[in-house]
Amino acid sequence: MTATRQILPRLALSPGRAEPGARCLPEEVAVALSFNGTTQAVMMASPADLEDFATGFALTEGFARQEEIESLTPVETPRGIDLQIWLRAEAEARLAARRRRMAGPVGCGLCGIDSLEEALRPPPPVAGSVRLGARDCLSAVDGLVDHQPLHDATRAVHAAGFWMPGQGLVAVREDVGRHNALDKLAGALLRQGVATGRGAVVLTSRVSIDMVQKCARLGAPVLIAVSAPTAHAVRMAEDAGLTLVAMARGDRCEVFTHPQRITPDEAAHVA
């Protein structure tokens, strides 16, 4: 499998000084997601946890649930990696309806979308009953810092984690793309059988509408991010019943939607 990082030479410059050396950088490769023999998307991604990526992408993009995936095979080619996913017959109509043609740089979650209606499709309603304290939200973000080996080595990737009361972070995935990191996390949770309605997704990135859509499809009732959301993401989270917590840094966080799941004290339990 392709390496996830490379050490490359660099020249560090400061006033009156030049210092040769090297830096560890994250690798990115073209990853094709092919469903039933047809490529639906080509994403630039970190070449790790690709089975999780394919499983999560199929769910969060509305193509197929985990049980509708018959087989999943990563195939390395000279120009990248082809994730060959074969779906059951009942998923084929859904696949055709949600067809995308994406080929773009990382961070572009809506490249080549067929229509504005598809880009702004409402996510399914979220009904998880988890209850968190404000300190839980901050602890989840703090805990994510200790589970980012690729970021620690390169300072150039995003992370997505899933935090559960009484357990802490049960899964973390990293990628050069924030959408990819979330899809990899979704796939990991599905493949591990984690009850996604009983915890919170934690992100190192900002929150756009596509991140809200993906979390809602995953069934996570709470989304916690270190950066700010867009206004449209807040409106979409409100409509979906998703609790959106952002700007979670230090000893403070901001709750934008459905605050009934978050308490200001230290108490936290699952109803």
Side-chain angles (χ1 to χ4, degrees), residues 36-59:
N36 288 28
T38 300
T39 298
Q40 300 298 130
V42 179
M43 308 293 285
M44 298 306 298
S46 299
D49 303 308
L50 295 180
E51 290 85 355
D52 291 340
F53 185 28
T55 303
F57 184 89
L59 175 78

Side-chain angles (χ1 to χ4, degrees), residues 217-242:
R217 287 193 176 276
L218 181 59
V222 179
L223 171 58
I224 305 168
V226 299
S227 296
T230 66
H232 200 146
V234 171
R235 292 192 293 270
M236 183 171 283
E238 178 66 34
D239 291 343
L242 176 71

Side-chain angles (χ1 to χ4, degrees), residues 109-202:
L110 295 174
C111 294
I113 193 80
D114 288 337
S115 68
L116 293 175
E117 289 76 14
E118 279 297 302
L120 301 176
R121 68 192 188 280
V126 176
S129 59
V130 69
R131 297 291 185 272
L132 304 178
R135 289 206 175 193
D136 290 326
C137 298
L138 299 172
S139 295
V141 171
D142 290 343
L144 198 58
V145 173
D146 298 326
H147 293 82
Q148 300 179 61
L150 188 57
H151 176 268
D152 291 343
T154 66
R155 302 293 174 181
V157 298
H158 287 291
F162 194 74
W163 192 93
M164 299 184 74
Q167 299 182 55
L169 287 166
V170 297
V172 178
R173 292 294 183 268
E174 295 181 280
D175 197 275
V176 290
R178 59 195 178 94
H179 308 92
N180 301 341
L182 180 52
D183 281 336
K184 288 181 177 181
L185 174 69
L189 296 174
L190 292 173
R191 297 174 73 204
Q192 295 171 21
V194 175
T196 55
R198 298 173 66 84
V201 168
V202 191

Side-chain angles (χ1 to χ4, degrees), residues 2-8 24-29 44-48 150 154 157 175-176:
T2 305
T4 60
R5 67 192 77 177
Q6 296 286 334
I7 297 177
L8 298 177
C24 185
L25 302 175
E27 192 58 82
E28 60 178 337
V29 301
M44 298 306 298
S46 299
L150 188 57
T154 66
V157 298
D175 197 275
V176 290

